[in-house]
C-alpha cells in the first residue's frame, strides 16, 4: 500500500498543468489559494460557508462582489448587517441562513483575535465544529487551507477517487475515512493540499460516479480500479 501511495503522490506532483487548467493547483505549502478563486485565509473561511450546497462558479461571482464591497474579510463581515449580507450573496443557496451564520462566525473569530490566534489554539477543530453551519469537512478545509494545519478534508470526491485508486473503503463514516487516509498518506502540509486539490479535480473531471473516464484520467497508471479492468 505504501508503494501505491508514494506513486500516487509522485503522479499528482506531475499533473500541475491538468490541475491548473481547472483553476487550482497548490503552488507551495503556505499557499492559501482555494477553489473559486479564494486567495486569502479570510476568503477561504468565507467561501467555505458559501459553497455548501452551491456551485463554485456561483461562489466565485459572489466572492468578486464581496471584494468590491470590502466584505471579503472577516472583519468586514463581522461588522455587516446579516440582511444586507444576504442581499450581497444573492445566488448562493440558503443565503439568509448563511448570511446569519457567516456574521456570527466572523464575530466569534474576530472576538478571539482573528485567524492567527485561532491557529495557535489547541482546540482549533472543536472551536470550528462548535460554530453553526461548520461541519467536519468545512472545519478540515478551513484548517488546511486558511490556517495551514495539516489535516485531510474528506469530500465525496476523496471517497470516490481514493477508494478506486487505493482500493480502500472504510465505510460511510467521515472519521473512519479520515483516520484511514491520514494513516496512509504522510502528514505533510503540502501533500495534504495537493491530495485534496487533486482528488476534487479528478473526481469532477474523470472519476465520475457511474462511468469513470479511466482511459483519459492521469491516474490510470496507479489506479487499482483502472488496472483491474484491463
Ligand atoms: S483511473 Fe478511473 S477509476 Fe481511477 S481515478 Fe481515474 S477515473 Fe477514477
Amino acid at each position: 500500500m505504501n508503494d501505491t501511495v508514494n506513486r500516487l503522490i509522485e503522479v499528482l506532483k506531475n499533473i500541475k498543468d491538468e490541475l491548473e487548467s481547472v483553476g487550482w493547483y497548490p503552488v507551495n505549502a503556505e499557499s492559501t489559494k482555494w477553489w473559486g478563486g479564494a486567495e486569502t485565509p479570510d476568503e477561504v473561511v468565507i467561501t467555505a460557508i458559501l459553497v455548501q450546497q452551491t456551485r463554485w462558479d456561483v461562489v466565485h461571482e459572489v466572492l468578486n462582489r464581496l471584494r468590491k464591497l470590502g466584505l471579503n474579510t472577516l472583519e468586514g463581515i463581522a461588522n455587516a448587517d446579516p440582511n444586507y449580507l444576504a442581499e450581497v450573496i444573492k445566488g448562493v443557496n440558503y443565503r439568509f441562513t448563511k448570511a446569519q451564520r457567516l456574521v456570527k462566525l466572523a464575530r466569534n473569530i474576530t472576538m478571539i483575535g482573528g485567524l492567527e490566534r485561532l491557529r495557535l489554539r489547541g482546540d482549533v477543530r472543536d472551536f470550528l465544529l462548535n460554530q453553526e453551519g461548520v461541519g467536519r469537512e468545512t472545519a478540515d478545509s478551513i484548517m488546511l487551507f486558511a490556517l495551514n494545519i495539516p489535516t485531510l478534508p474528506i469530500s465525496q470526491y476523496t471517497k470516490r477517487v481514493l477508494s478506486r485508486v487505493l482500493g480502500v473503503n472504510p465505510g460511510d463514516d467521515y472519521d473512519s475515512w479520515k483516520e484511514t487516509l491520514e494513516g496512509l498518506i504522510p502528514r505533510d502540509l503540502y501533500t495534504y493540499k495537493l491530495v485534496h486539490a487533486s482528488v476534487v479535480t479528478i473526481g469532477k473531471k474523470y472519476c465520475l460516479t457511474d462511468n469513470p473516464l479511466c482511459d483519459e484520467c492521469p491516474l490510470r497508471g496507479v489506479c487499482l480500479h483502472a488496472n483491474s479492468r484491463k
Side-chain angles (χ1 to χ4, degrees):
M1 179 64 79
N2 281 351
D3 267 6
T4 315
V5 171
N6 290 339
R7 280 171 57 221
L8 169 66
I9 293 167
E10 273 316 297
V11 172
L12 297 181
K13 285 180 179 167
N14 287 319
I15 54 172
K16 180 172 185 289
D17 292 344
E18 188 70 59
L19 292 170
E20 264 183 340
S21 71
V22 185
W24 183 38
Y25 186 84
V27 284
N28 57 48
E30 302 305 314
S31 166
T32 51
K33 272 196 174 182
W34 201 42
W35 284 104
E39 299 268 354
T40 65
D42 285 21
E43 289 183 353
V44 171
V45 175
I46 294 164
T47 54
I49 300 295
L50 295 181
V51 80
Q52 295 165 357
Q53 284 101 33
T54 301
R55 294 197 323 271
W56 269 112
D57 52 336
V58 174
V59 174
H60 185 62
E61 268 177 41
V62 170
L63 176 60
N64 284 336
R65 224 179 288 149
L66 291 169
R67 283 175 177 155
K68 283 184 191 142
L69 295 166
L71 288 172
N72 61 326
T73 65
L74 292 175
E75 204 184 333
I77 297 275
N79 291 317
D81 171 68
N83 292 325
Y84 172 64
L85 185 60
E87 280 307 302
V88 177
I89 63 172
K90 227 175 208 166
V92 161
N93 290 329
Y94 309 107
R95 64 189 168 107
F96 291 101
T97 306
K98 285 184 184 173
Q100 301 251 2
R101 287 178 173 175
L102 255 182
V103 170
K104 270 193 205 162
L105 174 63
R107 285 179 185 166
N108 288 342
I109 293 176
T110 48
M111 216 177 329
I112 59 159
L115 288 177
E116 258 315 300
R117 281 289 173 84
L118 174 60
R119 198 170 81 83
L120 300 174
R121 287 171 61 133
D123 63 344
V124 182
R125 197 163 188 262
D126 288 341
F127 174 94
L128 289 169
L129 289 174
N130 280 329
Q131 307 299 315
E132 268 178 59
V134 178
R136 289 174 287 186
E137 186 184 340
T138 303
D140 289 327
S141 300
I142 290 173
M143 286 172 70
L144 182 60
F145 290 98
L147 302 177
N148 280 336
I149 296 172
T151 187
L152 197 61
I154 306 297
S155 68
Q156 52 166 323
Y157 301 111
T158 319
K159 291 181 183 175
R160 193 160 74 229
V161 175
L162 294 185
S163 64
R164 288 171 174 169
V165 173
L166 302 175
V168 292
N169 194 351
D172 291 330
D173 181 55
Y174 185 98
D175 290 330
S176 304
W177 269 95
K178 189 168 170 60
E179 199 179 313
T180 301
L181 293 177
E182 288 189 348
L184 290 171
I185 302 168
R187 186 180 295 273
D188 169 73
L189 185 57
Y190 183 68
T191 304
Y192 278 11
K193 286 185 178 182
L194 181 67
V195 167
H196 185 69
S198 306
V199 295
V200 176
T201 303
I202 301 282
K204 278 176 189 282
K205 200 165 174 188
Y206 304 105
C207 203
L208 310 179
T209 309
D210 294 327
N211 293 304
L213 308 173
C214 301
D215 292 343
E216 299 162 38
C217 177
L219 300 188
R220 63 189 178 279
V222 287
C223 177
L224 283 180
H225 178 83
N227 288 312
S228 71
R229 300 194 325 171
K230 283 180 182 167

